[in-house]
């Protein structure tokens, strides 16, 4: 069954034949009878970073739809040729203006509340070291103390922040060599 957020191809991206449903691996997937292309519609991987400074966390406020004015952690989609760590370094540079040194992995989250589709967020942490220069994707930023975090945090970034805190308290950070 297609979820509400699922965006489907109607035509084969390879040969332009109209796609039809076919039972594959017990799922009724869109399939091209001409060239055998199968539209798996897998979730998209995204890299995100919790940038912290003396226990405070950097959040950016979204300037555009969807989720306009919601607060979120910096990050974005992985480009085709990138590793996740290369992606988060590029995204941090683009969105907050400095080079980041990734320290550890906080967790991996399935994000099903983004109207653009289902994402898998790979969430890292790093120390905030640099002067913040926002891109036009965000119109505001703030370093929040944990007890002052805003209510409107997009995606599952609040959950990741809670996990980050818990990991830190228990000394359970998964360090990246
Ligand atoms: Zn085809």
């Amino acid at each position: 069954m297609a979820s509400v957020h699922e965006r489907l191809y109607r035509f084969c991206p390879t040969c332009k034949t109209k796609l039809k449903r076919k039972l594959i691996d017990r799922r009724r997937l869109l399939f091209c009878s001409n060239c055998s292309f199968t539209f798996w519609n897998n979730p998209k991987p995204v890299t995100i970073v919790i940038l912290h400074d003396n226990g405070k966390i950097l959040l950016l406020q979204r300037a555009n739809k969807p989720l306009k004015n919601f607060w979120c952690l910096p990050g974005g989609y992985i480009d085709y040729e990138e590793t996740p760590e290369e992606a988060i370094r590029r995204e941090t540079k683009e969105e907050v203006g400095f080079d980041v040194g990734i320290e550890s992995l906080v967790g991996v989250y399935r994000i099903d509340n983004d109207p653009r589709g289902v994402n898998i967020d790979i969430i890292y942490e790093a120390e905030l070291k640099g002067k913040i220069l926002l891109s036009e994707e965000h119109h505001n930023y703030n370093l929040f103390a944990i007890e002052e975090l805003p209510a409107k945090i997009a995606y599952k970034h609040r959950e990741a922040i809670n996990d980050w805190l818990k990991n830190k308290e228990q000394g359970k950070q998964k360090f990246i060599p």
Side-chain angles (χ1 to χ4, degrees):
M1 281 287 278
S3 76
V4 272
H5 304 317
E6 201 173 10
R7 288 218 183 138
L8 303 171
Y9 285 163
R10 292 174 60 210
F11 298 94
C12 176
T14 306
C15 75
K16 298 187 171 72
T17 303
K18 196 166 192 308
L19 298 174
K20 291 210 172 112
R21 295 280 178 179
K22 187 185 173 190
L23 196 64
I24 300 168
D25 291 353
R26 285 170 293 165
R27 294 166 66 198
R28 292 190 68 245
L29 298 172
L30 288 164
F31 179 80
C32 176
S33 55
N34 184 49
C35 76
S36 301
F37 165 83
T38 307
F39 183 46
W40 294 96
N41 203 15
N42 303 105
K44 290 189 175 69
V46 170
T47 54
I48 299 291
V49 64
I50 294 177
L51 289 169
H52 52 87
D53 182 12
N54 287 314
K56 291 187 173 184
I57 289 173
L58 178 72
L59 290 177
L60 313 178
Q61 196 169 26
R62 289 181 55 79
N64 305 308
K65 288 179 182 175
L67 302 163
K68 189 177 175 182
N69 294 327
F70 273 71
W71 294 87
C72 61
L73 297 163
Y77 291 105
I78 300 174
D79 284 344
Y80 195 78
E81 68 282 2
E82 284 177 327
T83 67
E85 287 165 45
E86 285 167 347
I88 195 56
R89 283 198 290 270
R90 175 183 53 75
E91 287 285 352
T92 307
K93 185 90 179 169
E94 283 172 16
E95 292 190 350
V96 295
F98 57 84
D99 293 306
V100 73
I102 295 297
E103 295 160 9
S104 66
L105 180 69
V106 176
V108 178
Y109 303 83
R110 180 174 189 271
I111 310 296
D112 58 5
N113 55 0
D114 182 330
R116 292 165 293 187
V118 176
N119 296 327
I120 300 296
D121 278 14
I122 303 165
I123 304 194
Y124 297 103
E125 69 159 303
E127 217 173 305
L128 198 163
K129 283 182 194 162
K131 195 176 170 303
I132 296 162
L133 184 67
L134 288 184
S135 73
E136 49 194 47
E137 276 181 61
H138 304 99
H139 59 68
N140 196 8
Y141 72 88
N142 196 30
L143 263 173
F144 288 99
I146 296 300
E147 58 278 11
E148 292 165 353
L149 285 168
K152 287 171 87 176
I153 299 181
Y155 319 119
K156 287 180 187 164
H157 292 178
R158 177 67 221 229
E159 198 180 315
I161 292 167
N162 292 344
D163 290 345
W164 172 74
L165 271 174
K166 219 187 308 165
N167 288 347
K168 237 166 59 117
E169 282 164 11
Q170 301 174 350
K172 277 188 184 162
Q173 289 110 313
K174 293 161 198 150
F175 290 102
I176 292 164

